[in-house]
Amino acid sequence: MWRPSRLGSIIAERRLRLVRRRKPARTVRVRFGRPLRSPQAERKDPWWCPVEIAGLGRRRLRSIAGEDSLQALVLAFQFVTLTLPAEAERAGGRIEWLGERESLVFAHTRLLNMASDALENLASGLTEAVGILENGGGRRPGAR
């Protein structure tokens, strides 16, 4: 079965840090190529997203298959998220991005959601407090 043999057009890149004890941190670069199909693709042939990992030993190219271009890209993101920590451990360290060790591709989404919820609660509370103050101090709007 045909697979890409080179990275091709780069659509995304992430630079991470390999942190090791008693050794300086070093950069690990992950680059994602544009998803593509075989030049002579048949109807059932998969899409492929090439992924290049450099900085953890020998530079490697992997191609991740999907039913369509979006699935190939999403699966390539998941592949990196799941495999980089194990590869970093084999290299004697751990991998980080922005201080995050667990979500290397979609890092901080949980924290951003929590911050967004907190801001929404704050705005709601301030709106309620202004309404109370505008309607005579201790009385709630609509209360008698």
Side-chain angles (χ1 to χ4, degrees):
M1 176 180 289
W2 181 89
R3 288 182 185 211
S5 59
R6 59 186 194 86
L7 187 58
S9 300
I10 299 167
I11 61 167
E13 180 176 329
R14 171 137 306 154
R15 291 179 187 268
L16 306 113
R17 287 177 8 119
L18 175 65
V19 180
R20 300 172 291 170
R21 286 187 178 172
R22 297 191 257 300
K23 291 185 180 181
R26 80 177 177 215
T27 300
V28 174
R29 187 178 68 200
V30 179
R31 298 189 309 171
F32 298 89
R34 181 180 60 83
L36 66 156
R37 293 180 82 194
S38 164
Q40 291 86 33
E42 295 184 17
R43 195 170 146 229
K44 292 286 186 176
D45 285 351
W47 282 78
W48 296 93
C49 184
V51 178
E52 180 186 78
I53 300 171
L56 285 174
R58 208 173 106 232
R59 181 179 296 176
R60 291 183 310 172
L61 178 72
R62 302 280 175 101
S63 294
I64 309 302
E67 287 293 318
D68 59 22
S69 59
L70 180 60
Q71 186 185 43
L73 181 61
V74 169
L75 291 175
F77 289 159
Q78 289 177 335
F79 168 79
V80 167
T81 298
L82 295 173
T83 61
L84 271 184
E87 290 186 28
E89 191 173 311
R90 280 193 292 277
R94 67 179 190 275
I95 201 88
E96 294 181 352
W97 185 68
L98 298 178
E100 179 90 16
R101 293 190 318 197
E102 295 176 17
S103 301
L104 301 175
V105 175
F106 300 106
H108 297 294
T109 54
R110 186 184 83 240
L111 294 176
L112 289 174
N113 289 338
M114 289 171 55
S116 176
D117 290 347
L119 286 173
E120 189 176 317
N121 287 339
L122 176 62
S124 176
L126 288 173
T127 300
E128 185 176 336
V130 167
I132 291 170
L133 292 172
E134 287 178 345
N135 290 304
R139 290 182 287 150
R140 293 187 175 268
R144 294 184 183 227

